[in-house]
Every structure is written in structure tokens, then in C-alpha cells.
Amino acid sequence: MQTNKVVPCGNTPRPATAFIELLDEQSGKLRQDLAGLVMGLDQRGLSSGAVTEFLAGMRLALGDFATKAVKRVLESMDETASSVELEGQRLRYRGKARKQWLSMFGTVEVERRVYRGDGPGAPQHVALDAATGMTDRYMMPDVEDPVAMAMAMLPQREAEELLAKVLPQGPSATAMRNAIATIGRELDQHREAVEHDVSDRSPLSDEGDILAASFDGAMIAMREEGGPAWREASVATLSVYGPGEESPKQHDVRYLARMPESKMETLFEQAARRVAAARAGRPFRKLVVICDGSATLWEQVESRLVFRGATLVLDFFHASENLMKAANAIFGDDIERARRWHEKLRFKLQVEDDGAERAIRSMRRYRTRLRHGSARWTTVTNVMGYFANHCDKMRYSDYLQRGLPIGSGPVEAAAKTIIQARMKRSGMRWSHRGGQHVLDLRAHLKSGCWDTMWAALKTHSLAA
């Protein structure tokens, strides 16, 4: 937002005096406006339309007073010294400049004292902007918060339409994009500090005694020089489980998400910090890592010190899905026989210690009936290899007896709710930076830590 011409400085009263003076000036008008609204409603009588107009009038009258109050109070608290020191340089008062800020009550035009050094290119300092966190900002914190939340939940056009309904003055699409870019940069800059505060102030539930980490991915459309390209974004969950009636009960879940990157490096770094913080906060009976058969995922897990000693589990539902591929290849059009064989082997996986080996032996026997090198033979061979490669992570009977989770349901759901529901709308194309800003905000929102995150972000941003 461009500032206007610098105007001469005048004396400004302190906050309480400034507010009382405003009350004295505006009380008659405010009383008259509010009384007129009440009299109008009384004359019209109660109806949906009359009440709607009454509420709109109240909001307008109170908003007008509130914007004047915000302006008067903030201006009264501005720096009054004739010079200030900034990073070892003496900056002198040069006058006042006006700037518009968007508040929950509407637009506030504030006059701020400007300090500047001598000579061309000298640094400039606006003390009121710095003190209120409004440097290079248009939206005040009370607007920035719901704007960020709306953009985490909805596509920009829908967020813009919603905010236009609920705010006296809805922000423009450009203002919203700028706000998200600023917030995203700050969140990235203070990521570890914000993570620490969230872990400290909103810790994982203490009801369960098993900590489970899961990782997955989902394809999204990226804007690239050669045109749109599909790349895999990634998501991680950190969950707490305790005993349940039939299977372990999930008590809490937190989310992380990253735009496409090589080997999901950043995602695993963040997840490793979260796991370490959770385990430092309290003891867990067991740490479990649950993933599908992706070699990249397991390489990352096995290379991280924080996961040493964890129970590594191949997601049971991926194992079952691959077993169904083998069943269809073995029995072809005989759907009923395929279903029965699949159910039998699926059951053995859960109740027998060597269930994976039994499944491999059964597939090997049936494969001899298929033509070597055919598509069906190849499918069965691939599934056998999948099971052989992950046998050590498929001891489902043992896991269940120990009360451990065997499915990556939370992270499968996260791939849909965190990434796909927000990032895969019709026509959407993402830049890496813009997409990451939205994913960071959405992960905190879906983790139920929004207010904690927002308070921590504002604290660290102002302190920087």
C-alpha cells in the first residue's frame, strides 16, 4: 500500500485520553444512530427482513466508531522522539505518512511517524508499523487470521466470497494472495520455533501409549516451464494409539505435508523432529512406523536415527490389495474362487506367525498353472516379490497381539483431506512456494492446533 505525502508532525495524546476524547466527540452521534435503529425496528415490528436490516445497521454504526477508535488509540501510542537509533544508525523524524489498514471493523487510515537517515538510499523506520507487526502489511491481525484459515480451507475464489459476506469490507484476491505469501514466508522462517511451541502448548494426547508415524503421497498438478506437470506431494501423520475393543484406538493425530521434493527429504526431517519431541515429552510403550511398499519411504525411515528400534509395519491394506491382484491373476474370470482364496490368505496374514510365507507358497503353487511369461504369471510373480521383500514387516499376528496398529488409515485419509481436497480442484496448478504456504496452514488447521500455531507465529515474527 503506497503512503501519501509526508505531513507535519503534531502533538498526539496518550491512549486513554485519546479514547475518552473520541467518546466525547462521537457519543452523541453514536447514541442517535443506535437509537434510530432500535426505533426503526420497533416501528416495523419483528420479521426476518427487519431484523436483518437492524443487524446490518448496528454493524455499520459500531464499525464506524470502532475504526475511529482504533485509529485514535494507535496514533496516540506512536513514537514521539525526535530521532531513533536503528541498527547503529541515527534516524531523524521526517513527518507523518498515512496508510490504510484493513481491520475487522473496516478500513482504518492511520497516520504514522516516519524516521529516516540522511542522504539518498538512507534507511527508513516507521515505529508504529514495527511495534504493531504491520510493516509491509495491509491486513491487521484480526483479519489476517480468518483470511489465512479461509485460504487453508477453500480455493481463493470461494474464500474471497465467504469473507466478503462476513466482513464489513472483504479483502481483494490480490490482498489475500499477498497475505498468504507473507504468512507462509514467516512460517517457513520460524518453522522450528513454531513447531516447538505447538508441541509444548498443544502436546499429543496422553491417553495412548503407542506412537505411530506414517507417510504417503498424492499427485498434484504443478506449473512448470514446459506446461502443467503431475508431481507427488507428500504427507505424514503422527498418531497416538491405545487399547481398543477390537483393534488399537486412535486418540490423536497430527499432520505434516510438503510439496513435491526429492525423496521427501524435508518431510522426513520435520517428522523426525516431531517424533523426537513427542518421545522427549513422555515415554511411549512402542514406536511404530507404517508405510506402503515404496522403497523411497522405507529408505528414508531406515536412514533416520529417531526410527531406530521402531516396529516397521507394511500397511496391511496395501498387502491385502496386492494379494487381491494375485487372486485375480490366478483365477481369472472365476471371481468367486478368487474372493475365497483372497479371504483365506488375508485371514492367515492376521492370525498366523508365518502368514506372509504361507501366502508366497500358495502363490508359487498356483503360478505353475499359468503360462510362463504371460501377463497373469507376471502379476503373480510381482506380488510374490512384493511379499518376499517385506516379509519382515508383515508379522501382523504378532503386531495385533501386542496391540499395535497395522494400517496406515490416518495417512491415507490425510492424502485425501490435506492434499487432494484442497490442491486438486478443477483447473488448479500450483507453484512450489505457493502450494507449500497453503499446505503448511492446512496441516496445522487439520491437526487442531491453529490457535496455538497462530499465536506462536505472531510471537516469533514480531521478535525477529
Side-chain angles (χ1 to χ4, degrees):
M1 182 67 64
Q2 295 293 322
T3 57
N4 291 340
K5 183 178 179 180
V6 174
V7 297
C9 174
N11 294 324
T12 54
R14 298 307 294 165
T17 304
F19 186 67
I20 291 170
E21 287 180 351
L22 179 67
L23 279 175
D24 291 341
E25 294 170 11
Q26 297 291 315
S27 60
K29 180 179 183 302
L30 184 62
R31 183 193 299 269
Q32 183 178 356
D33 290 344
L34 297 180
L37 289 169
V38 174
M39 290 175 60
L41 180 63
D42 183 42
Q43 291 172 358
R44 291 186 60 184
L46 287 177
S47 68
S48 176
V51 170
T52 298
E53 289 185 18
F54 171 70
L55 293 174
M58 288 285 285
R59 186 169 72 170
L60 187 63
L62 294 173
D64 180 63
F65 174 77
T67 55
K68 289 183 172 69
V70 170
K71 170 183 171 64
R72 189 75 64 91
V73 169
L74 291 183
E75 288 178 351
S76 74
M77 299 179 74
D78 199 358
E79 176 65 65
T80 58
S82 60
S83 66
V84 298
E85 188 171 318
L86 182 68
E87 297 179 354
Q89 295 190 55
R90 179 64 58 181
L91 311 182
R92 285 186 286 210
Y93 170 68
R94 303 294 181 176
K96 289 186 177 182
R98 296 185 181 91
K99 185 177 180 181
Q100 287 189 340
W101 292 343
L102 183 63
S103 79
M104 191 65 73
F105 309 111
T107 300
V108 181
E109 187 171 79
V110 184
E111 286 188 344
R112 308 108 67 240
R113 292 170 62 92
V114 178
Y115 294 83
R116 193 180 299 115
D118 297 322
Q124 177 175 296
H125 178 63
V126 183
L128 188 61
D129 290 13
T132 56
M134 290 299 294
T135 301
D136 298 325
R137 272 181 152 87
Y138 168 57
M139 297 179 195
M140 299 190 78
D142 60 337
V143 174
E144 213 174 51
D145 183 350
V147 164
M149 180 178 285
M151 288 287 279
M153 297 172 66
L154 301 167
Q156 180 178 295
R157 182 176 296 278
E158 293 178 16
E160 186 180 3
E161 291 173 353
L162 174 64
L163 292 165
K165 278 286 188 182
V166 299
L167 296 176
Q169 180 183 338
S172 67
T174 299
M176 291 170 65
R177 284 195 300 272
N178 291 341
I180 295 304
T182 300
I183 295 164
R185 286 194 299 269
E186 291 174 346
L187 190 54
D188 191 56
Q189 180 182 356
H190 303 290
R191 187 178 301 280
E192 291 192 37
V194 170
E195 285 179 8
H196 177 273
D197 287 358
V198 170
S199 296
D200 186 53
R201 300 172 193 172
S202 298
L204 285 160
S205 170
D206 59 2
E207 291 189 46
D209 59 356
I210 298 167
L211 184 63
S214 295
F215 303 87
D216 200 6
M219 304 300 288
I220 62 172
M222 301 288 293
R223 290 200 304 266
E224 298 187 0
E225 288 186 6
W230 289 88
R231 302 282 184 258
E232 187 178 41
S234 55
V235 64
T237 59
L238 194 62
S239 306
V240 175
Y241 288 88
E245 292 183 6
E246 296 182 0
S247 60
K249 179 181 178 182
Q250 185 187 75
H251 291 286
D252 202 352
V253 61
R254 304 294 169 86
Y255 302 100
L256 294 165
R258 298 295 302 181
M259 291 295 281
E261 60 177 348
S262 175
K263 298 183 179 180
M264 303 184 183
E265 287 280 357
T266 309
L267 180 76
F268 272 89
E269 288 175 8
Q270 291 179 232
R273 287 200 303 268
R274 296 282 187 95
V275 169
R279 298 179 80 183
R282 66 182 179 89
F284 287 91
R285 178 167 63 88
K286 197 64 185 174
L287 172 63
V288 181
V289 181
I290 310 172
C291 298
D292 61 24
S294 166
T296 297
L297 293 179
W298 289 115
E299 287 170 5
Q300 285 286 357
V301 170
E302 291 165 0
S303 69
R304 305 279 169 172
L305 185 61
V306 74
F307 296 124
R308 298 281 173 84
T311 298
L312 308 184
V313 180
L314 179 78
D315 172 48
F316 179 77
F317 301 101
H318 279 86
S320 176
E321 184 179 55
N322 275 273
L323 198 61
M324 192 70 241
K325 292 178 183 177
N328 291 332
I330 289 168
F331 297 103
D333 294 335
D334 196 335
I335 297 175
E336 183 58 28
R337 286 189 68 194
R339 182 189 64 79
R340 290 199 304 268
W341 181 86
H342 175 261
E343 288 185 355
K344 177 183 176 181
L345 271 296
R346 188 177 187 275
F347 178 73
K348 287 180 181 293
L349 281 176
Q350 296 178 79
V351 300
E352 298 187 4
D353 293 340
D354 60 346
E357 289 84 355
R358 285 175 177 267
I360 293 172
R361 289 197 294 270
S362 181
M363 284 186 276
R364 183 179 291 116
R365 286 196 302 272
Y366 279 105
R367 188 181 61 169
T368 61
R369 307 177 188 181
L370 303 175
R371 181 169 57 83
H372 188 280
S374 67
R376 292 167 61 183
W377 183 92
T378 300
T379 296
V380 176
T381 300
N382 290 340
V383 176
M384 288 171 58
Y386 181 89
F387 271 56
N389 289 336
H390 298 291
C391 262
D392 60 330
K393 305 180 190 73
M394 299 173 70
R395 307 304 178 192
Y396 302 117
S397 173
D398 175 57
Y399 306 150
L400 292 172
Q401 289 175 24
R402 291 192 283 153
L404 305 181
I406 62 173
S408 60
V411 79
E412 295 284 331
K416 295 181 176 66
T417 60
I418 302 295
I419 298 177
Q420 295 184 39
R422 177 65 180 88
M423 313 289 283
K424 292 184 71 171
R425 298 288 190 97
S426 176
M428 283 187 173
R429 301 290 184 269
W430 294 93
S431 68
H432 194 281
R433 182 177 298 175
Q436 191 59 56
H437 294 162
V438 170
L439 283 180
D440 283 336
L441 294 171
R442 190 167 178 83
H444 282 293
L445 178 64
K446 292 297 184 179
S447 295
C449 302
W450 182 270
D451 289 340
T452 306
M453 176 278 295
W454 192 257
L457 178 61
K458 289 302 168 185
T459 297
H460 293 292
S461 297
L462 282 173

